[in-house]
Amino acid sequence: MKVATGKSILKGIAIGPLRIYRKKAAEARRASVLSPAEELARFESARREAQEQLGALYDKALDEVGEDNAAIFEIHQMMLDDEDYVDAVKSIIETQGATAEYAVSTTGENFAAAFAAMEDSYMQARSADVKDISRRVVNILTGSEQGDVQGEEPAILVADDLTPSETVQLDKSKLLGFITRHGSSNSHTAILARTMNIPALIGVDFDESWDGRLAVLDGYNHCVYIDPAPELLSAMEAKHRSDLEQEALLQGLKKKPNVTLDGTEIQVYANIGSAGDVGLVLQNDAQGIGLFRSEFLYLDGSDYPTEDQQFAVYKRVAETMAGKKVVIRTLDIGADKQADYFGLDHEENPALGYRAIRICLTRRDIFKQQLRAILRASAFGSVSIMFPMIISVREVRDAKEILEECRRELKAQGAAMGEVEIGIMIETPAAVMIADELAEEVDFFSLGTNDLSQYTLAIDRQNPKLDTFYDPHHPAILRMIRMTVEAGHRHGCWVGICGELGADPALTETFLRMGVDELSVSPSAILPLRKRIRSLDLTKSGE
Ligand code: PEP
Ligand code: MG
């Protein structure tokens, strides 16, 4: 048995085989030992197999996310049949005596560069697609996995790092847990793991020999046991069963109010990243959705989601929540959340860079598409809009003006719309300091404590080396939360917390005493939080 340690981001146990996630296509060898005719045949056979994989992906996506979202796989199929592309590959094989994988990889790079240089944003976005299809074919040719990185059996995935877009694309039904070498506990990948209720360890040093071996990921003790000894395995299986029993017991709290023993009430909402998470929201009995991280919709594809695609998703969430509040945060892309097709420049300080509302206010076309989709969805439930990364009153006014413009246009077109509350994220110290002025502009505040902590403590949330310096209970953060709640209430705004701190049971009492109106947490944290709230008596203990 071997033990490796790391940092746990979700207390829980996963037992199963380890599977190493190989991101990149293997290096494509150039010189071939085969004849050009044989390489051409290899290329044709790999292309057929890629077409089959794409067909299967299309069918799966059609079932899970609908026709509009599945269309991307059809586009990929068409690109693989594109005559120019196929001719370019064949020509490299024939004229250079190259391997099929080298020819595909080179053609992919060349076409991607050509697309990226085009004026038209639709064509630019094809750059990521051509890379994607080429990688698929190269992986088939070299025997690397990519079409199905997760394999057939459920497994604990092991990776150097997982980006948020990779994480959202994982098949949850085959994911028992994950282990990464890099990453930090406040990163979006970690947040996604919590949303999906998947045990995960970060900062683990692993090697290739782990692939396929049985392991126990112990999120309580921040470690993973490889080839666990039989006694340890059965103890862990027992602990896992008891966790499941505890979870079942928590289900007994469903339909119970979030009220303390002395009668203080607080709303407990859920954070989600996709329409697919709504099942978890209902299962855990959230009173609403306090944060829909809409950017994951953008990360999930290889092109901008259209207004209609977004509308379908928002409408589905609003309808399913049946009149309960759904707070949709407008696009918060940038920093660690990158999508190739946005073509964002490399930045020295991405967390302080071109992201979130800054992108929306300067790329109005994208912003308006999203706002129109949200406004249209508001006819189907109780929808609120929330703007991220606000630092000034000007930004809020500009965003509201664009929203009004969208509303006027939709009205002229006869579109149905409902009442929409407008709120902002309070996640910069600047916003805290001018909370009184900001509150005049909006209906609610939601404290994004992940970024607020990062900017207040000057601690990069992506950097695991800083974990020892990071104190989530730092008095500066708690004081900022209090100031925000007081300023919001002075102007009639409700104030919630949607950062990870909202789920910290050690702070629940503090937040209740501050008068926080709502806590929005990952679905798996809802019932434990309800249990905590119902055990508190604010008349008894002091802070
Ligand atoms: C936050 O910053 O606390 C927040 C909720 O937003 P995100 O984690 O998506 O940046
Ligand atoms: Mg944030």
Side-chain angles (χ1 to χ4, degrees), residues 188 291 293 295 329 332 337 355 388-389 425 427 448-452 454-455 461 498:
H188 285 95
L291 170 64
R293 288 184 163 96
E295 57 276 5
R329 174 174 77 185
D332 185 11
K337 289 177 282 196
R355 55 172 293 200
M389 279 294 292
M425 303 262 317
E427 51 187 346
T449 51
N450 307 332
D451 278 318
L452 185 59
Q454 139 162 286
Y455 299 129
R461 66 193 269 194
C498 63

Side-chain angles (χ1 to χ4, degrees), residues 189-203:
T189 302
I191 289 170
L192 280 168
R194 279 184 215 115
T195 304
M196 299 187 290
N197 201 18
I198 285 173
L201 272 188
I202 55 178

